[in-house]
Amino acid sequence: MSFQTPITIASALERIHRREYVLPAIQREFVWPRDKITRLFDSLMRGYPIGSFLMWQVHEGNAGRFAFYDFMRDYHERDNAHCAPTGPLGSRAVTAILDGQQRLTALNIGLYGSFTAKLPRLWANNPLAYPKKVLYLDLLHRGQDDDLGVEYDFRFLTPEEAAAGTEGGDVHWYRVQDVRELRTARDVIRALQRHGVADNDTAGDVLSRLHEVVHVTPTVNFFLEEAQELDKVLNIFIRVNSGGAVLSYSDLLLSVATAQWGERDARETIHRLVDELNGIGQGFAFSKDLVLKTGLVLLGKGDIRFKVDNFDRETMTNLEKHWADIEGALRLGVALLADFGFSGVTLTANSVLIPLAYYLHRRNLGESYRTSDAFRDDRAAIRRWLQRSLMKSGVWGSGLDRLLTGLRTTLEKVGGQGWPTEAIEREMARQGKSLRFEATEIDDLLDLKYGSKRLFPMLAMLYPGIDTRDHFQEDHIFPRSVLRSRVKLRKAGVPEDALPLIEDRADRAANLQLLRGGENNSKQASLPAAWLQKHFRLDTERESWLREYDATGLPEDVTGYLEFYDVRRARMRQRLAALLEVRTRTDQESAAVALEAPQAVPDDEPDPGNEGL
């Protein structure tokens, strides 16, 4: 390994576009957010070192032995988040980047491409949710920003945002990509003139500095490794990237699989599966970490931790050999979760998929399991277990690998004929993950607020009448827009001292229900009594709905909300306690009274009060 003569950023990026620099299959995806890209450019402008790079020289004739990928240029969070394979590169020599991919990709995006991320609070299917943005630099700003810790103002903006900001006169947004055409100092002067800031000293300094950073200063310092043995290169890669937080162990596992699989491209295969899983039902948020962990569990690997010592060739070979079965179990498991109404919004712990997938794999179950009457009771048992484990705090947190290993052992021993709920819960209790609930936990669950992921499993357990395979939503019985508006409450005649209490109880469980999406859209901000009158034509249908959802005695207007809330909460508490087999407070009080009462002594036992006489 030798240190090479440094080169400029412009030269490095030109080599990327000529495919002289490529990414080896062992590299992970681009993961930097926008602010990290802008900070990198700020560091370069300030003359800060950005670290050296490690490159692997693949000799002429050897490139065809390995898989390579292109650098990301136009990143799109939904539509283009994965690097594309280069395809055949012929017999020519190439240089593969072992360390420095994130930095080079950030430079490539800033100087050649774009970054498209979803805007908050917009649905993923909204075409306006993903505005394409490119990197701009404010030519009129140079100075320490104590809040952001930067000196130069780089931002990703749409052309419209940049134009609107520049019109104010306090800023002047320069598209960073345009610096590629500024080869000489004269080009810089002409650019300043075109932008109308030739007389501004700050603008001249800033643009000149950008030109110098990209075209003049040899910033890219790198070491070159020329070994052609993949095992040696892989060892270097692992050592370089496992020393800090550069790569997670799951990234390393994926890297090793990619390098060692023979018939499949592991990188493409696993990323495609993750995308497919996350597209099932209403959408999930599973990661490659979970997919790889599931693979280790299903293979029967004794140690399922993500550590380099577990990334042996035998494990990787078995992973590829059994991949079709692993993939099928994961797809079926996620489809079942979707059937049960779970999604990325309502699933509190993605790890519940792993024992579910192992059980389906263990019994070699197929797609018919989702709908066959023969498996109805088995599905119901799994659903109840899922709901309980997701309602309980702390089950899927610390000690996860130990829990997954214990559940796998239990399912292997007694899971051959059906879901063994009792055995599963015994093992969980043995590990301090008991699914038994106390009365105080019932109260905690009923006090959950709208938006909590633990709400859905509780509401689905309480009111199983809704078909969770349909699109549904958590809905306020009394509209939130009314309960949290003091103006509307006063206008309705609610006493002043009741306002804070109503606001506090507006978003809690006793004012929530599950409704099909269409029903919820039609309900909108209607008061519940009016909506029921409109939605159900027959009195018997309305009464049935009210009983089913513990809502009998529903008041006509909001003045009766607090009384309705208390009554419904008490009913929900009683129902939930029965489902979870929890003794309610009333039961405990009754037991205490019974213990205090005189006890009859059986004739064949001595009276404890007469001991010693």
Side-chain angles (χ1 to χ4, degrees), residues 418-478:
W419 182 261
T421 299
E422 292 185 7
I424 285 287
E425 295 195 8
R426 277 198 304 272
E427 173 61 22
M428 295 177 74
R430 188 183 69 80
Q431 296 196 25
K433 309 280 188 179
S434 172
L435 296 189
R436 294 186 64 84
F437 287 77
E438 302 295 333
T440 53
E441 293 178 279
I442 300 293
D443 289 319
D444 290 341
L445 286 167
L446 293 174
D447 286 335
L448 290 174
K449 287 193 172 183
Y450 180 75
S452 168
K453 287 190 173 184
R454 294 167 65 204
L455 266 173
F456 168 73
M458 179 182 68
L459 292 175
M461 176 181 283
L462 283 169
Y463 309 114
I466 188 170
D467 188 347
T468 50
R469 289 171 296 184
D470 293 339
H471 180 66
F472 66 90
Q473 298 169 359
E474 292 173 11
D475 173 63
H476 292 75
I477 295 178
F478 275 82

Side-chain angles (χ1 to χ4, degrees), residues 477-478 510 551 553-555 560-569:
I477 295 178
F478 275 82
L554 186 72
Y561 173 73
L562 287 178
E563 181 181 357
F564 165 77
Y565 177 94
D566 289 338
V567 171
R568 185 170 190 253
R569 187 183 185 282

Side-chain angles (χ1 to χ4, degrees), residues 568-581:
R568 185 170 190 253
R569 187 183 185 282
R571 290 171 179 159
M572 292 173 71
R573 190 176 188 280
Q574 184 177 11
R575 187 192 291 247
L576 188 59
L579 289 168
L580 296 176
E581 299 178 343

Side-chain angles (χ1 to χ4, degrees), residues 115-130:
F115 195 108
T116 303
K118 191 180 84 66
L119 294 175
R121 295 181 295 279
L122 291 180
W123 291 101
N125 59 1
N126 186 335
L128 302 178
Y130 293 92

Side-chain angles (χ1 to χ4, degrees), residues 599-613:
Q599 301 294 309
V601 180
D603 293 337
D604 56 349
E605 293 184 7
D607 187 337
N610 292 329
E611 283 186 13
L613 293 180

